[in-house]
Amino acid sequence: MGEAILIEVIVPQGRLCSCCCPITTQISGWRVEAFLGGVVYEHTYPNPVSVDTKIVWDQKTSAGSQAAAGFYRIVVSTTDQGDVQTYIKLVDRADCRSLLCTRPSKPCGVPICNIHLKLSPIPTCGPCCDPCCDPCCLYPFYMTGTGR
């Protein structure tokens, strides 16, 4: 909880997926829904934007407060592929001091040739370059120069 989430729309391309056509998909908006219903946050673009647009959800509701711990559905509306969705669980990590709490999320059974969403945390960089206190010092962030 409290960490921004990067949302990316992945449109598979290439011969493996039998598609060599140019991508025409655009994003018209996105929303976060509570698992049992109800929109928590919603954003609609005045004009559709590129499918390469990076979306960041700061885990805030439309009212500006922190979303509660629990399950949510993230839905991105596209112009020609309909709604693309995935699920996420927000967990209060205040008492967590184990490496198990930092395991990366993996999508469940995403077909390789279907449009899908990729969720990832946005790395935060501190003044320390010790992997114990600064995740940006770990590969690939430090090695690629994006850690500082």
Side-chain angles (χ1 to χ4, degrees):
M1 289 180 55
E3 297 177 6
I5 298 170
L6 177 64
I7 305 164
E8 299 174 82
V9 178
I10 306 299
V11 180
Q13 299 181 34
R15 294 181 186 177
L16 180 64
C17 296
S18 299
C19 179
C20 298
C21 306
I23 296 174
T24 59
T25 302
Q26 292 186 305
I27 299 171
S28 57
W30 61 279
R31 66 185 180 275
V32 179
E33 301 173 349
F35 190 67
L36 297 175
V39 175
V40 173
Y41 183 86
E42 185 169 26
H43 180 79
T44 302
Y45 294 101
N47 297 306
V49 296
S50 167
V51 74
D52 294 329
T53 300
K54 307 288 190 247
I55 300 169
V56 176
W57 180 42
D58 59 2
Q59 296 188 20
K60 303 281 185 183
T61 65
S62 294
S65 60
Q66 170 65 47
F71 289 94
Y72 295 88
R73 177 171 47 192
I74 297 176
V75 182
V76 176
S77 300
T78 64
T79 54
D80 61 355
Q81 299 288 323
D83 288 345
V84 182
Q85 64 184 10
T86 193
Y87 295 89
I88 188 168
K89 179 181 181 184
L90 299 185
V91 179
D92 185 4
R93 295 172 38 173
D95 297 325
C96 186
R97 302 204 186 278
S98 166
L99 288 177
L100 294 176
C101 297
T102 59
R103 289 186 325 205
S105 296
K106 303 249 188 257
C108 298
V110 175
I112 193 167
C113 291
N114 288 3
I115 186 171
H116 59 276
L117 299 180
K118 175 183 172 187
L119 305 180
S120 54
I122 296 177
T124 56
C125 300
C128 165
C129 196
D130 177 356
C132 294
C133 67
D134 188 354
C136 296
C137 292
L138 296 174
Y139 183 83
F141 304 113
Y142 185 70
M143 299 301 285
T144 60
T146 59
R148 292 263 172 216

